[in-house]
Structures are given as C-alpha cells and as structure tokens.
Coordinates of all heavy atoms in Angstrom, one line a residue:
M1 N 140.5 51.2 218.8 CA 139.1 50.9 218.9 C 138.4 51.2 217.6 O 138.6 52.1 216.9 CB 138.4 51.7 220.0 CG 137.0 51.4 220.1 SD 136.3 51.7 221.7 CE 136.1 50.6 222.8
S2 N 137.5 50.3 217.2 CA 136.7 50.4 216.0 C 135.2 50.3 216.4 O 134.9 49.8 217.4 CB 137.0 49.2 215.1 OG 138.4 49.2 214.7
V3 N 134.4 50.8 215.5 CA 132.9 50.7 215.7 C 132.4 49.6 214.7 O 132.7 49.7 213.5 CB 132.3 52.0 215.4 CG1 130.7 51.9 215.5 CG2 132.7 53.1 216.4
F4 N 131.7 48.7 215.2 CA 131.1 47.6 214.4 C 129.6 47.9 214.2 O 128.9 48.3 215.2 CB 131.2 46.3 215.1 CG 130.6 45.1 214.3 CD1 131.3 44.5 213.3 CD2 129.3 44.7 214.6 CE1 130.7 43.5 212.6 CE2 128.7 43.7 213.9 CZ 129.5 43.1 212.9
Y5 N 129.1 47.8 213.0 CA 127.7 48.1 212.7 C 127.2 47.0 211.7 O 127.9 46.7 210.8 CB 127.5 49.5 212.1 CG 126.1 49.7 211.6 CD1 125.0 50.0 212.4 CD2 125.8 49.5 210.2 CE1 123.7 50.2 212.0 CE2 124.5 49.6 209.8 CZ 123.5 50.0 210.7 OH 122.2 50.1 210.2
A6 N 126.0 46.5 212.0 CA 125.3 45.6 211.0 C 123.8 45.7 211.2 O 123.3 46.1 212.2 CB 125.8 44.2 211.4
S7 N 123.2 45.3 210.1 CA 121.7 45.3 210.0 C 121.4 43.9 209.6 O 122.0 43.3 208.6 CB 121.2 46.3 209.1 OG 119.8 46.3 209.0
E8 N 120.4 43.2 210.3 CA 120.1 41.8 210.0 C 118.6 41.6 210.2 O 118.0 42.2 211.0 CB 121.0 40.9 210.9 CG 121.1 39.5 210.5 CD 122.2 38.8 211.1 OE1 123.2 39.4 211.4 OE2 122.0 37.6 211.4
R9 N 118.1 40.6 209.4 CA 116.7 40.3 209.5 C 116.6 39.0 210.3 O 117.2 38.0 210.1 CB 116.2 40.0 208.1 CG 114.7 39.9 208.0 CD 114.2 41.0 207.0 NE 112.8 40.8 206.8 CZ 111.9 41.5 207.5 NH1 112.2 42.4 208.4 NH2 110.6 41.2 207.3
F10 N 115.7 39.1 211.4 CA 115.3 38.0 212.2 C 113.8 37.8 212.2 O 113.1 38.7 212.5 CB 115.8 38.2 213.6 CG 117.3 38.1 213.9 CD1 118.0 39.2 214.0 CD2 117.9 36.9 213.9 CE1 119.4 39.2 214.2 CE2 119.3 36.8 214.1 CZ 120.0 38.0 214.3
S11 N 113.4 36.7 211.7 CA 111.9 36.4 211.6 C 111.3 37.5 210.8 O 111.6 37.8 209.7 CB 111.3 36.2 213.0 OG 111.9 35.1 213.7
N12 N 110.4 38.3 211.5 CA 109.7 39.4 210.8 C 110.2 40.8 211.2 O 109.5 41.7 211.0 CB 108.2 39.3 211.1 CG 107.9 39.4 212.6 OD1 108.8 39.3 213.4 ND2 106.6 39.5 212.9
K13 N 111.4 40.8 211.8 CA 111.9 42.1 212.3 C 113.3 42.3 211.7 O 114.1 41.4 211.5 CB 112.0 42.1 213.8 CG 110.7 42.0 214.5 CD 110.8 41.9 215.9 CE 109.4 41.7 216.6 NZ 109.5 41.5 218.0
T14 N 113.7 43.6 211.5 CA 115.0 43.9 211.1 C 115.7 44.5 212.4 O 115.1 45.4 213.0 CB 115.1 45.0 210.0 OG1 114.4 44.4 208.8 CG2 116.5 45.4 209.7
I15 N 116.9 44.1 212.7 CA 117.6 44.5 213.9 C 118.9 45.2 213.4 O 119.6 44.6 212.7 CB 117.9 43.3 214.8 CG1 116.6 42.7 215.3 CG2 118.8 43.8 216.0 CD1 116.8 41.4 216.1
D16 N 119.1 46.4 213.9 CA 120.3 47.1 213.7 C 121.1 47.1 215.0 O 120.6 47.3 216.1 CB 120.1 48.6 213.3 CG 119.3 48.8 212.0 OD1 119.6 48.0 211.1 OD2 118.5 49.7 211.9
Y17 N 122.4 46.8 214.9 CA 123.2 46.8 216.1 C 124.6 47.4 215.8 O 125.1 47.3 214.7 CB 123.3 45.4 216.8 CG 123.6 44.3 215.9 CD1 124.9 43.9 215.6 CD2 122.6 43.5 215.3 CE1 125.2 42.8 214.8 CE2 122.9 42.5 214.5 CZ 124.2 42.1 214.2 OH 124.4 41.1 213.4
Y18 N 125.1 48.1 216.8 CA 126.4 48.7 216.7 C 127.0 48.8 218.0 O 126.4 48.9 219.0 CB 126.4 50.1 216.0 CG 125.6 51.1 216.7 CD1 126.2 52.0 217.5 CD2 124.2 51.2 216.5 CE1 125.5 53.0 218.2 CE2 123.5 52.2 217.2 CZ 124.1 53.1 218.0 OH 123.4 54.0 218.6
F19 N 128.4 48.7 218.1 CA 129.1 48.8 219.3 C 130.5 49.1 219.1 O 131.0 48.8 218.0 CB 128.9 47.5 220.2 CG 129.1 46.2 219.4 CD1 130.4 45.7 219.3 CD2 128.1 45.6 218.8 CE1 130.6 44.5 218.6 CE2 128.3 44.4 218.1 CZ 129.6 43.9 218.0
G20 N 131.2 49.6 220.1 CA 132.6 49.9 220.0 C 133.3 48.6 220.4 O 132.9 47.9 221.3
I21 N 134.4 48.3 219.8 CA 135.2 47.0 220.0 C 136.7 47.3 219.9 O 137.1 48.0 219.0 CB 134.7 45.9 219.1 CG1 135.2 44.6 219.6 CG2 134.9 46.2 217.7 CD1 134.5 43.4 218.9
H22 N 137.4 46.7 220.8 CA 138.9 46.8 220.7 C 139.4 46.0 219.4 O 138.9 45.0 219.1 CB 139.5 46.2 221.9 CG 141.0 46.6 222.1 ND1 142.0 45.8 221.5 CD2 141.6 47.6 222.7 CE1 143.1 46.4 221.7 NE2 142.9 47.5 222.5
N23 N 140.4 46.6 218.8 CA 140.9 46.0 217.5 C 141.4 44.6 217.7 O 141.5 43.8 216.7 CB 142.0 46.9 216.9 CG 141.4 48.2 216.4 OD1 140.2 48.3 216.2 ND2 142.3 49.2 216.3
S24 N 141.8 44.1 218.9 CA 142.4 42.8 219.0 C 141.3 41.7 219.1 O 141.6 40.5 219.1 CB 143.3 42.8 220.3 OG 142.5 43.0 221.4
I25 N 140.1 42.1 219.3 CA 139.0 41.1 219.4 C 138.5 40.7 218.0 O 138.3 41.5 217.2 CB 137.8 41.7 220.2 CG1 138.2 42.0 221.6 CG2 136.6 40.8 220.2 CD1 137.2 42.7 222.5
K26 N 138.5 39.4 217.8 CA 138.2 38.8 216.5 C 136.8 38.2 216.4 O 136.3 37.9 215.3 CB 139.2 37.8 216.1 CG 140.6 38.4 216.1 CD 140.7 39.5 215.0 CE 142.1 40.1 215.0 NZ 142.1 41.4 214.3
S27 N 136.1 38.0 217.5 CA 134.7 37.4 217.5 C 133.9 37.9 218.7 O 134.5 38.1 219.8 CB 134.7 35.9 217.4 OG 135.2 35.3 218.6
V28 N 132.6 38.0 218.5 CA 131.7 38.5 219.6 C 130.5 37.6 219.6 O 130.0 37.3 218.6 CB 131.3 39.9 219.3 CG1 130.3 40.4 220.4 CG2 132.5 40.9 219.3
D29 N 130.0 37.2 220.8 CA 128.8 36.5 220.9 C 127.7 37.5 221.3 O 127.9 38.3 222.2 CB 128.9 35.4 222.0 CG 129.8 34.3 221.7 OD1 130.0 34.0 220.5 OD2 130.4 33.7 222.6
L30 N 126.6 37.5 220.6 CA 125.4 38.3 220.9 C 124.4 37.5 221.6 O 124.0 36.4 221.2 CB 124.8 38.9 219.6 CG 125.7 39.9 218.8 CD1 125.0 40.3 217.6 CD2 126.1 41.1 219.7
Y31 N 123.9 38.1 222.7 CA 122.8 37.5 223.5 C 121.6 38.4 223.6 O 121.7 39.6 223.6 CB 123.4 37.3 224.9 CG 124.3 36.1 225.0 CD1 125.7 36.3 224.8 CD2 123.9 34.9 225.4 CE1 126.6 35.3 224.9 CE2 124.8 33.8 225.5 CZ 126.1 34.0 225.2 OH 127.0 33.0 225.3
Y32 N 120.5 37.8 223.7 CA 119.2 38.5 224.1 C 118.7 37.8 225.3 O 118.4 36.6 225.2 CB 118.2 38.5 223.0 CG 116.9 39.1 223.4 CD1 116.8 40.5 223.5 CD2 115.8 38.4 223.7 CE1 115.7 41.1 223.9 CE2 114.6 39.0 224.1 CZ 114.5 40.4 224.2 OH 113.4 41.0 224.6
K33 N 118.7 38.6 226.4 CA 118.4 38.0 227.7 C 119.4 36.8 228.0 O 120.6 37.1 228.0 CB 117.0 37.6 227.8 CG 116.0 38.7 227.7 CD 114.6 38.3 228.0 CE 113.7 39.6 227.8 NZ 112.3 39.3 228.1
N34 N 119.0 35.6 228.1 CA 119.9 34.5 228.4 C 120.1 33.6 227.2 O 120.6 32.5 227.2 CB 119.3 33.6 229.5 CG 119.4 34.3 230.9 OD1 120.3 35.2 231.1 ND2 118.5 34.0 231.8
H35 N 119.6 34.1 226.0 CA 119.7 33.3 224.8 C 120.8 33.8 223.8 O 120.7 35.0 223.5 CB 118.4 33.3 224.1 CG 117.3 32.7 224.9 ND1 117.1 31.4 225.2 CD2 116.3 33.3 225.6 CE1 116.1 31.2 226.0 NE2 115.6 32.4 226.3
K36 N 121.7 33.0 223.4 CA 122.7 33.4 222.5 C 122.0 33.5 221.1 O 121.4 32.5 220.6 CB 123.8 32.3 222.4 CG 124.9 32.7 221.5 CD 126.1 31.7 221.6 CE 127.1 32.0 220.6 NZ 128.2 31.0 220.6
I37 N 122.2 34.6 220.5 CA 121.6 34.8 219.1 C 122.5 34.4 218.0 O 122.2 33.7 217.1 CB 121.2 36.3 218.9 CG1 120.2 36.7 219.9 CG2 120.8 36.6 217.5 CD1 119.9 38.2 220.0
K38 N 123.8 34.8 218.1 CA 124.8 34.4 217.1 C 126.2 34.8 217.5 O 126.4 35.6 218.5 CB 124.4 35.1 215.8 CG 124.7 36.5 215.7 CD 124.3 37.2 214.4 CE 125.1 36.5 213.3 NZ 124.8 37.0 211.9
T39 N 127.2 34.3 216.8 CA 128.5 34.7 217.0 C 128.9 35.5 215.7 O 128.7 35.1 214.6 CB 129.5 33.5 217.1 OG1 129.1 32.7 218.3 CG2 130.9 33.9 217.2
I40 N 129.5 36.6 215.9 CA 130.0 37.5 214.8 C 131.5 37.4 214.8 O 132.2 37.7 215.7 CB 129.5 39.0 215.1 CG1 128.0 39.1 215.2 CG2 130.1 39.9 214.0 CD1 127.6 40.5 215.6
E41 N 132.0 37.1 213.6 CA 133.4 37.1 213.3 C 133.8 38.5 212.8 O 133.2 38.9 211.8 CB 133.8 36.0 212.3 CG 133.4 34.6 212.7 CD 134.2 34.2 214.0 OE1 135.4 34.6 214.1 OE2 133.6 33.4 214.8
I42 N 134.7 39.1 213.4 CA 135.2 40.5 213.0 C 136.3 40.3 212.0 O 137.3 39.7 212.3 CB 135.6 41.3 214.3 CG1 134.6 41.3 215.4 CG2 136.0 42.7 213.8 CD1 133.3 41.9 215.0
K43 N 136.2 40.9 210.9 CA 137.2 40.9 209.8 C 138.0 42.2 209.9 O 137.4 43.3 210.2 CB 136.6 40.7 208.5 CG 135.8 39.4 208.3 CD 135.2 39.3 207.0 CE 134.4 38.0 206.9 NZ 133.7 37.9 205.6
D44 N 139.2 42.2 209.5 CA 140.1 43.4 209.5 C 139.7 44.3 208.3 O 139.2 43.9 207.3 CB 141.5 43.0 209.4 CG 142.0 42.4 210.6 OD1 141.4 42.6 211.7 OD2 143.0 41.6 210.5

C-alpha cells in the first residue's frame, strides 16, 4: 500500500488530497458529489 498526495488549483481554490491506495491500482477517478473531477494516473 502506498499513500498518494497532491495539491491542485481549481478555479479560485487550492485543494489538497491524499489517500491510501493499493500498489496494483494504476488510475483513480475523483468525484465531488455526483460530478467527476478528474482521473489521476498513478506512476511507479
């Protein structure tokens, strides 16, 4: 298991996000409520 962390600017706000993820997962979709924000590609 690895910990993923990123900081990103959206409109007028900076969003920090982090989560634990299994090493075999290579991409993650991020959602806010029912809206997909983005897909994150996990690099080794």
Side-chain angles (χ1 to χ4, degrees):
M1 178 157 263
S2 299
V3 175
F4 179 83
Y5 170 81
S7 182
E8 199 162 324
R9 191 120 174 97
F10 288 103
S11 300
N12 60 348
K13 299 177 184 175
T14 299
I15 297 173
D16 295 325
Y17 44 91
Y18 62 96
F19 47 88
I21 189 166
H22 193 274
N23 292 338
S24 65
I25 297 174
K26 300 300 178 194
S27 68
V28 177
D29 292 332
L30 292 180
Y31 286 84
Y32 177 73
K33 298 185 180 183
N34 291 333
H35 301 283
K36 183 177 175 181
I37 297 172
K38 71 180 303 178
T39 297
I40 298 173
E41 299 297 325
I42 308 295
K43 298 177 183 176
D44 292 335

